[in-house]
Amino acid sequence: MTTPRQTTLTRFLIEEQRRSEETCPAELRLLIETVARACKAVNQAISKGALGDVLGSLGSENVQGEVQKKLDVIANDLLLDANEWGGHLAAMASEEMETIHRIPNRFPRGEYLLLFDPIDGSSNVDVDLSVGTIFSVLRAPEDCAGREVTEADFLQPGRAQVAAGYAIYGPQTLLVLTVGTGVYEFTLDREIGSWRLTDGPMRIPTGTKEFAINMARRRQWSPGIARYIEERILGTEGPLGEDYNMRWTASMVADVHRILKRGGVFLYPGDHRKDGKAKLRLLYEANPMSFLIEQAGGASIDGAIPIMDVEAVGLHQRVGVVLGDPEEVALVAEYGRTG
Ligand code: AHG
Ligand code: MN
Ligand code: MN
Ligand code: MN
């Protein structure tokens, strides 16, 4: 018998495949291995910092209207290059690309679609705080085989995801993954360069008195969100009679990872005044994180309904996000209904 820490990602995925060809077929296993290998390359690039001339911004803006950091583009290219030739994918989509990236004709085409946020929390790169890579895997629609893949093929609900995960580049480099059979954490063993199982199946601890929200956006909150936060700020002097802590990393990966490990709730609501206009992206941020959170016993809503049931209508569609401890998320939904 091996101890969990001796279980590498490769072994874990092979055992998953043996358990169920349906949830972890060989093609998906190899795709996940490729993504994980690309994350190692991203990790290397980030860790060079100023010495590798990878910090700072480029003159360009992405389709989101955000100034691109050098590492946004470097990581995007690393993910594209690593995943293009393996034969597992029909196309890719990313926060940093206006439209989809089809697999060039010189490579075989596979049956999956890969979506990613190459660097999540990229405003933190230059100040040496945790950032990450988020990814989501969908099956390409069956009729894709005989025609060109289109953006519409990516517009599937989060429930259709077959795998999702993130790498977090922090004090440790971790890979957190689900293929729909629980959530597992792997730590990068930097000496031998392999991912080793260090936690899982992960369960979100309940009852943690912590919330994560950008307080500077208070003017945008709906009455329900404002009530939920106000009660917690009042602490022992309010109806809850207990003090809460606030944490905000400004890297969704880091905030979600803390919730998976320690509990609490994360909120990035839509702007109440602007018809719910939100910041986080449905397809490559909210959906993969929601898959992981639900698989770990948590809940994830857009403020009212589960994010994975939200209809996808655009590649870069944005959505409000409230996720974490299921009781807290239910309370936010209830306050949203009653004000
Ligand atoms: P990205 O760096 O991929 O554009 O994502 C940043 C996102 C998310 O990671 C984080 O939760 C949020 O933006 C932070 O927003 P604020 O700048 O409002 O704190
Ligand atoms: Mn960005
Ligand atoms: Mn992001
Ligand atoms: Mn990003």
Side-chain angles (χ1 to χ4, degrees), residues 3 89 105 124 126 157 178 183 208 214 258 282 302 311 316:
T3 65
L89 290 174
N105 286 335
N124 281 330
D126 294 346
T178 187
V183 179
T208 304
N214 183 348
R258 186 187 58 252
L282 175 65
D302 67 352
E311 189 189 355
H316 300 288

Side-chain angles (χ1 to χ4, degrees), residues 66 72 95-96 117-122 281 285:
E66 300 166 336
D72 285 325
E95 175 192 341
E96 303 302 334
D117 176 356
I119 300 280
D120 173 66
S122 60
R281 280 61 52 130
E285 290 175 319

